[in-house]
Structures are given as C-alpha cells and as structure tokens.
C-alpha cells in the first residue's frame, strides 16, 4: 500500500509537538500517512498557504479557522478544525523594568493572574506612557487571553495600553530591546525571554482560562470533505502522538527532538520546561505548573464547539466580528467534533457525548455558558 | 475617493524586502515599467514611520518576511492608514495569488484599485522573484559543483601519490569504484579523503 502524502505547515512553537511526534515516532506512518512537515515563519503564511492548498493541513491558532470562515482575513476560505493540539502552553512575560514596577505595587512571587492583574492595573494607572504588549497574531488565543486578563483586571486593552503583533520568535528580542514591555506567547518563547532577557513569566494560560485549547489542526473545509479517510487517519495518528507525548518517560526524548534547528532551534533545557511544567519565572522565582501544557489528558484533543463560540465571543467583544446568530453558527461549525468522534470510535476511546459544555475555568470566576452566548457578549460590552 | 485616485493619479508603490539585492531588482523593474513613485523599505519597523509620507496604493512584500502579521495588524488599525488595504485586488483571482505565493511574494492594495492596474505590477514582481530564486539556485549549484571538483581533485591526488597512478588512471579507479558500489563519484572521493585523514599523513 502506498502512503498518502500529507503536507503540514507548522510554526516553531512547542505545541507543534504532536505533528512532530506523529512524524518522528511513526504514528503517521502506521496510519498510512507520509507526513511532510514544513516550517513556516509567520501565521500569515500558514493562513495563506493553507488557503491556497500548498498545505493540506496546518498547525493553527485556535481562532484562525473561525476567523477564516467568518471572512475576517485575507484569502478567506472556510476552514475547519477537527483536532486540538493540546491545552494551555501560553504565558505572559513582562520586562525586568515593568516587573520592578509591578513588585512595588505588590505583585506576588506566584503566577496568580488576579494579584498580578491588580498590580498591573496600578502600574498602568501610574505610568506616564502607554505600555506596549506583543501578541503573535491578531486572531490568536494569545491576543484574546491577554485582553481577557487585562480587562478583568480593570485595564482597557484598546485604550490604556497598546497591543502590537510580532512573530513569536522575535518577541524575546523585542522585550530585551525595550520594543515591548510584555508579551503573550507560547513556549519556548516565554522561557527564552526569562533566560535571555531578564523577563518575568507572570502567569500562564491555564491560570487565566483553565484547560483551554490553544492550537488546532486546521484545514480547508472542502479538502476535508473530499478526503475523509485521510482526515480520520491524521486524527488517529495525532491522538496516538498525544498519548505518547503525555508520558513523562518521553519528555527528554521529545525535548531533544523539538530542540533541533529544523523544529524549534532552541536549547533543550529551555524546551523541556514546558513539558515538565517546572518553570523558572525569573527574578529568583520558580514554579511547578501542573497543567501548563496538556497534550492528551482531559479530552485535550476534542474540539468543543462551545470553545469555538468563546473565541467568537471575543472577536465580537474586540470589534473584529459582527455579532449575529449566523456568525455564531459559522464559528461553532468550524470545530468538527463529529470528525473527531468518527475517527476515534474504533479505538475505543472514551469520547464526550456532547459538543458543547459550560466553561467555568476563568480566573475571574465568570462562567461561560454557550446557551447564554448573547448575554455573555452583552455583559462584556464596554 | 480611493477609486478616483486609483484611476487617475500616479501609483505609489512600496516594496518591503529584507533582501536588498532583490528589492533593487524589483524597484528597477517597476521603474522600467514607468512607475515613478517607488519606495523601498527593508525593515518592517520603518514602515510605521514612513507610511504616512509614502501613502502607498500597492505594497509588495516577500513571504520570507516573518513580519507579515505585524504589517497586517498595522493595516487593521485605522489610525495608521487612512484607506483600507486588502490583500490582492480580487480574491477571485486565484491563479495570480497562487503564482505569487509560489514565487514567494505577496501584495496588499488599497481598496477600490482596479485589477487591470495591479496585474502588470504583480506579473513583473512574480517574474523577478522567480528569476531571483533561479539565480540563487544556480549560484548554490555552481558553488556545490566547485566544491565537488575540489574534493575529486584531492581524492585523485591521494590515489596518485599512494598507488603511483597517473591522473587518468586515478580518475578511472574512482569512477569504477563508484559504479561498482552504486554510489556517486563525489561520495567515493569524500570517503577516500576521510579514510586517508584517519590513517594519518604517513599513509
């Protein structure tokens, strides 16, 4: 049997790891897939090359397929996401200078987003200039989580600070050079900023929105329609890669694989921090973060339609998407729980029965109930 | 308003490329085609300061540039640019977009720009990006061939010295060994040099 050739784009970020493991450890091969991984240097290229069909599938920011399907981005073609590449993995890192100011305002030694948020608000109020934060892409989990954290802490992201977009691999450099005062990015770029640019890792995604999706495997809706067996095979390969990647015994090997120049091109001892959850926060602090990056457990790979709706709610909140029942439907339809189930039923995997769930893991204790979407959006309006 | 300007005035074209040589090639192509308002910026960060003064109708950027996200976000902030900027003129023109991305170039144009005005610009940019890539490949290949030739010369030298062969004989021996082992001549030559180095200068 000849293998089905599958080209997958990825960015140099730790949560490309399931695609890499599926390739390097033979899980894709076992499913009859010849996975060809292509490293990209911008999310815009990932988006365009996926839209044009240069990539069959790609690692994408969870909101990207939604934004494409809603027509918010150039070359918008309907995209779907049948698989989540893991929960968590983001973090917010601030410069040494901003950290000193936050310390003076009572920021703790921990990674508690609420107390850091309070100190941050006081610094923003006292600051003679607008602080500038970097995120990796406009329609990114990073952008929405950073904004959520700020807004819940009493800082208006569009008025009180400035948010700019920079590629992940450039953010630590920008922090060191004073170009940004802080950023929200996936690993290893927080740890790189801590190790090389005296940054302070403030908090991580799991503390802002617990057990939430960050990256997905995205693909054109029509391509998925035409290649259902390939999609199923890919889901199974990635699912098995996730199980493998969850085992502590494999962390060293995984870090060594990911550290290589053609993947992350970052030191192994930095890469492993996100896998073990043992973080150096900077400025003398360290933390053990249990569920910083969850590649498989807790149904990590299941594309909850309700979580697509949460991202949509934030697009509306920040003025990127018009609010309408049609748009909500389009957003929910991007996360293909049905394809996930269809691929994994035969493996006897314990699958969620519902496509929607309430999320109550937000740090400010405001729950998200997908059945009360409109009320949720209204409650967040200025 | 954008329409009127797009119809009548001289186009302002901004080329963003970190590769100085390629940027000059594109700039020259645009000037040859009669475009007088061409600006070149090598660093995306400088776009922020200059965009007001340049007021581009067309922006050409290379896809190797990791700052496309930054640039697009910058466009999306209405304060920075007065006129909305979209990627390419017409999403329906898939072939041109595909060719451009294949060539490693992308374009942003102001809203209302006519397709006929952008097409020749894009065709030129695509052709020159492709030509540049071909030149680079040829240069790489030429470098590689030169390197190979040096290695084969060295291997021949070793054989001539250690086995007392003439140059044609040494070359023939390398060739036969390569064919018999189903390997490339250059690989055999490289192995011979490595082996010779391992065995030391006295061999």
């Amino acid at each position: 049997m000849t293998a089905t050739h599958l080209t997958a784009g990825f960015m140099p970020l730790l949560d490309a790891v399931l695609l890499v493991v599926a390739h390097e450890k033979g899980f894709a091969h076992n499913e009859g897939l010849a996975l060809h991984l292509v490293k990209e240097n911008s999310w815009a290229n990932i988006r365009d090359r996926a839209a044009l069909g240069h990539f069959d599938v790609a690692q994408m920011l969870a909101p990207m397929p939604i934004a494409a399907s809603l027509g918010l981005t150039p070359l918008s073609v309907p995209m779907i996401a049948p698989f989540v590449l893991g929960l968590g993995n983001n973090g917010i890192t601030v410069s040494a200078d901003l950290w000193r100011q936050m310390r003076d305002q009572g920021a703790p030694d921990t990674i508690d987003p609420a107390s850091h948020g309070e100190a941050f608000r006081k610094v923003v109020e006292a600051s003679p200039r607008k602080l500038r934060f970097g995120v990796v892409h406009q329609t990114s989990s990073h952008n929405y989580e950073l904004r959520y954290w700020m807004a819940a802490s009493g800082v208006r992201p569009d008025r009180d600070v400035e948010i700019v977009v920079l590629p992940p691999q450039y953010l630590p450099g920008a922090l060191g050079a004073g170009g940004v005062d802080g950023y929200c990015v996936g690993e290893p770029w927080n740890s790189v900023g801590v190790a090389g640019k005296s940054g302070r890792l403030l908090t991580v995604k799991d503390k802002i929105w617990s057990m939430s999706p960050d990256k997905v495997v995205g693909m054109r809706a029509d391509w998925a329609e035409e290649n259902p067996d390939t999609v199923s095979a890919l889901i199974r390969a990635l699912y098995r890669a996730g199980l493998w990647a969850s085992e502590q015994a494999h962390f060293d090997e995984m870090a060594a694989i990911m550290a290589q120049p053609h993947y992350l091109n970052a030191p192994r001892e930095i890469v492993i921090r996100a896998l073990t959850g043992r973080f150096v926060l900077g400025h003398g602090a360290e933390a053990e973060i249990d569920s910083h990056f969850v590649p498989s457990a807790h149904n990590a790979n299941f594309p909850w339609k309700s979580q697509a709706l949460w991202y949509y709610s934030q697009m509306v909140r920040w003025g990127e998407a018009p609010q309408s029942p049609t748009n909500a439907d389009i957003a929910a339809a991007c996360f293909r729980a049905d394809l996930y189930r269809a691929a994994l039923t035969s493996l006897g995997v314990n699958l969620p029965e519902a496509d929607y769930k309430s999320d109550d893991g937000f740090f400010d204790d405001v729950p998200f109930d997908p059945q009360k979407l409109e009320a949720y959006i209204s409650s967040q309006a200025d | 308003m954008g329409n009127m300007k797009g119809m009548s005035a001289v186009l302002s074209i901004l080329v963003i490329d970190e590769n100085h040589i390629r940027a000059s090639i594109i700039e020259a192509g645009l000037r040859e085609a009669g475009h007088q308002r061409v600006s070149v910026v090598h660093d995306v960060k400088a776009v922020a300061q200059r965009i007001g003064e340049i007021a581009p109708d067309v922006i050409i950027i290379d896809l190797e540039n990791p700052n496309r996200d930054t640039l697009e976000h910058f466009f999306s902030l209405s304060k920075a640019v007065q006129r909305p900027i979209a990627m390419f003129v017409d999403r329906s023109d898939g072939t041109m977009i595909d060719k451009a991305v294949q060539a490693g170039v992308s374009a942003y144009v102001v809203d209302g720009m006519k397709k006929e005005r952008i097409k020749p610009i894009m065709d030129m940019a695509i052709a020159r990006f492709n030509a540049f890539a071909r030149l680079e490949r040829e240069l790489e290949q030429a470098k590689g061939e030169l390197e190979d030739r040096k290695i084969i010369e060295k291997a021949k030298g070793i054989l001539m010295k250690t086995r007392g062969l003439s140059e044609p004989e040494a070359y023939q021996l390398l060739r036969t060994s390569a064919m018999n082992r189903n390997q490339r001549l250059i690989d055999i030559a490289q192995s011979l040099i490595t082996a010779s180095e391992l065995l030391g200068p006295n061999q």
Side-chain angles (χ1 to χ4, degrees):
Chain A
M1 197 186 82
T2 54
T4 305
H5 197 88
L6 196 66
T7 304
F10 74 96
M11 285 286 280
L13 289 160
L14 180 90
D15 44 25
V17 70
L18 297 198
L19 282 164
V20 171
V21 166
H23 173 61
E24 297 273 350
K25 302 305 293 179
F27 297 110
H29 176 81
N30 293 345
E31 290 292 338
L33 299 175
L35 199 54
H36 175 54
L37 297 177
V38 181
K39 180 164 150 179
E40 261 303 347
N41 56 19
S42 74
W43 287 113
N45 278 10
I46 291 259
R47 178 200 64 210
D48 294 345
R49 300 188 70 188
L52 292 168
H54 297 180
F55 299 147
D56 300 313
V57 303
Q59 174 197 23
M60 289 185 186
L61 296 153
M64 277 173 77
I66 304 168
S69 299
L70 288 171
L72 304 183
T73 51
L75 299 182
S76 289
V77 293
M79 293 269 174
I80 61 155
F83 191 92
V84 176
L85 286 170
L87 310 176
N89 190 43
N90 278 345
I92 300 175
T93 295
V94 297
S95 70
D97 186 42
L98 175 51
W99 175 243
R100 268 188 292 275
Q101 296 175 56
M102 287 181 62
R103 277 302 256 184
D104 292 344
Q105 299 293 353
D109 274 329
T110 64
I111 52 164
D112 172 43
S115 19
H116 282 311
E118 202 183 323
F120 178 66
R121 179 180 52 78
K122 290 178 184 160
V123 171
V124 169
E125 278 167 2
S127 176
R129 65 175 179 93
K130 263 194 187 183
L131 296 174
R132 186 186 290 156
F133 275 72
V135 295
V136 299
H137 188 71
Q138 187 158 5
T139 51
S140 66
S141 17
H142 317 68
N143 188 21
Y144 302 133
E145 281 143 18
L146 180 70
R147 283 164 175 267
Y148 189 95
W149 171 71
M150 286 183 179
S153 306
V155 173
R156 298 164 303 179
D158 283 323
R159 282 178 240 172
D160 304 334
V161 296
E162 186 187 354
I163 295 180
V164 298
V165 172
L166 283 170
Q169 60 274 31
Y170 283 16
L171 283 168
L175 191 77
V180 294
D181 301 292
Y183 55 71
C184 182
V185 71
E187 279 295 286
W189 306 110
N190 290 291
S191 291
V192 169
V194 168
K197 307 292 174 187
S198 308
R200 168 59 153 84
L201 175 53
L202 277 192
T203 188
V204 297
K205 178 180 170 106
D206 189 58
K207 301 294 167 196
I208 296 173
W209 179 18
S210 185
M211 297 291 162
S212 58
D214 200 63
K215 306 293 183 332
V216 296
V217 169
M219 59 195 74
R220 280 169 296 128
D222 58 0
W223 182 87
E225 197 74 40
E226 289 157 19
N227 299 279
D229 295 342
T230 307
V231 174
S232 272
L234 178 67
I235 292 171
R236 283 192 295 274
L238 291 171
Y239 178 80
R240 290 201 161 103
L243 292 178
W244 189 89
S246 304
E247 284 179 42
Q248 217 174 334
H250 298 146
F251 287 174
D252 275 327
E253 184 182 350
M254 244 191 309
I257 292 173
M258 291 306 285
Q260 295 175 87
H262 52 288
Y263 293 130
L264 298 183
N265 196 20
R268 200 199 62 88
E269 59 277 16
I270 297 255
V271 173
I272 203 160
R273 291 181 189 174
L275 295 170
T276 59
R278 278 191 290 277
F279 278 93
V280 177
L281 303 176
H283 300 262
E286 295 185 3
E288 291 243 6
I289 309 172
D290 281 345
S291 39
H292 167 71
F293 173 58
V294 182
S296 179
H298 307 285
N299 285 312
N301 310 124
F302 186 78
W304 290 99
K305 287 182 179 293
S306 45
Q307 296 185 328
L309 284 178
W310 187 80
Y311 281 121
Y312 159 74
S313 77
Q314 302 306 292
M315 291 175 187
V316 173
R317 179 181 193 180
W318 305 116
E320 293 166 0
Q323 184 181 1
S324 77
T326 313
N327 281 349
D329 289 346
I330 291 172
C334 291
F335 277 30
R336 293 293 295 273
D338 58 327
L339 297 181
Y340 184 86
R341 280 200 201 90
L344 295 179
T345 305
S346 61
L347 301 189
V349 176
N350 200 1
L351 295 160
E353 279 172 26
D355 291 352
Y356 296 82
K357 65 168 180 174
S358 287
D359 259 291
D360 52 9
F362 293 92
F363 84 96
D364 58 351
D365 292 328
V366 176
F368 173 68
D369 179 351
Q371 294 194 319
K372 297 176 186 155
L373 178 65
E374 286 183 18
Y376 185 79
I377 291 173
S378 308
S379 74
Q380 290 181 335
D382 262 344
Chain B
M1 202 185 79
N3 248 332
M4 284 302 290
K5 189 178 163 61
M7 288 298 290
S8 56
V10 175
L11 285 184
S12 168
I13 304 171
L14 170 62
V15 178
I16 305 171
D17 197 335
E18 286 172 345
N19 187 318
H20 290 234
I21 298 170
R22 188 170 52 200
S24 317
I25 294 172
I26 300 296
E27 187 187 6
L30 289 167
R31 293 200 186 278
E32 279 165 31
H35 295 287
Q36 289 134 24
R37 287 182 61 199
V38 183
S39 317
V40 177
V41 170
H42 301 297
D43 185 351
V44 167
K45 278 183 244 120
V47 173
Q49 289 113 48
R50 297 197 51 203
I51 196 131
E53 154 217 341
I54 297 170
D57 300 294
V58 182
I59 295 162
I60 294 171
I61 182 169
D62 70 292
L63 292 184
E64 287 158 30
N65 198 319
N67 286 303
R68 280 185 63 216
D69 293 292
T70 308
L71 192 68
E72 287 180 12
H73 179 247
F74 184 58
F75 295 154
S76 78
L77 302 173
S78 51
K79 274 172 292 176
V81 211
Q82 278 81 38
R83 294 165 299 163
I85 293 184
M87 188 173 158
F88 295 102
V89 181
D90 189 347
R91 283 181 193 171
S92 67
D93 195 353
T95 336
M96 185 177 83
I97 298 173
D98 195 34
K99 272 189 195 153
V101 174
Q102 292 277 14
V105 59
S106 179
Y108 299 89
V109 299
V110 295
D111 219 13
M113 166 91 59
K114 285 268 187 288
K115 200 156 135 185
E116 304 82 74
R117 296 203 76 188
I118 176 83
K119 188 158 189 314
I121 296 173
M122 278 319 288
D123 286 344
M124 190 282 300
I126 292 167
R128 295 212 167 196
F129 259 77
N130 281 332
F132 185 79
R134 202 161 49 236
L135 274 176
E136 270 193 329
R137 267 199 310 275
E138 281 165 12
L139 192 64
E140 273 308 303
Q141 209 180 347
K143 267 192 207 158
E145 278 165 13
L146 193 65
E147 217 34 58
D148 285 3
R149 211 150 53 214
K150 279 188 198 154
I151 290 166
I152 290 165
E153 286 301 318
K154 195 170 172 189
K156 275 197 299 191
I158 292 169
L159 285 179
M160 285 157 71
K161 196 168 151 201
T162 55
R163 311 243 333 231
L165 300 177
S166 71
E167 195 182 331
E169 283 168 343
Y171 184 72
Q172 196 50 47
L173 182 58
L174 282 174
R175 256 184 67 99
T176 325
S177 315
M179 280 191 319
N180 291 346
R181 285 154 209 253
N182 206 11
Q183 282 185 325
R184 295 188 311 154
L185 185 62
I186 176 70
D187 295 333
I188 292 289
Q190 185 65 63
S191 316
L192 181 68
I193 293 167
T194 310
S196 157
E197 279 166 1
L198 284 175
L199 294 173
N202 295 332
Q203 297 292 312

